[in-house]
Amino acid sequence: MGKTKLRKVGAYIDHDLYADFEKLAKVEMRSISSMTQVAIKEIVDKAKADGKL
């Protein structure tokens, strides 16, 4: 296996929030990593649309 070109992100979040995020990932049949990437992309896309980036 080769190295990934993706960046690693770490965060500390509330246990209840993580539990809900994990449940949502399962419902959407995604990994936590994939869900995190989707969530960050949505935030960045909104910031761009709002002229913040």
Side-chain angles (χ1 to χ4, degrees), residues 31-38:
S31 66
I32 293 293
S33 179
S34 176
M35 284 295 292
T36 302
Q37 184 171 339
V38 168

Side-chain angles (χ1 to χ4, degrees), residues 4-11 33 36-37 40:
T4 180
K5 293 184 180 184
L6 299 176
R7 297 289 306 256
K8 185 175 183 178
V9 176
S33 179
T36 302
Q37 184 171 339
I40 291 171

Side-chain angles (χ1 to χ4, degrees), residues 37-53:
Q37 184 171 339
V38 168
I40 291 171
K41 183 173 181 343
E42 288 178 3
I43 292 166
V44 169
D45 287 349
K46 183 177 182 325
K48 285 180 179 178
D50 293 346
K52 294 180 180 178
L53 293 175

Side-chain angles (χ1 to χ4, degrees), residues 13-47:
I13 62 173
D14 178 79
H15 291 280
D16 292 335
L17 178 58
Y18 183 86
D20 286 343
F21 193 60
E22 188 174 38
K23 287 177 192 173
L24 182 58
K26 286 179 183 177
V27 167
E28 296 197 5
M29 295 172 43
R30 294 181 178 269
S31 66
I32 293 293
S33 179
S34 176
M35 284 295 292
T36 302
Q37 184 171 339
V38 168
I40 291 171
K41 183 173 181 343
E42 288 178 3
I43 292 166
V44 169
D45 287 349
K46 183 177 182 325

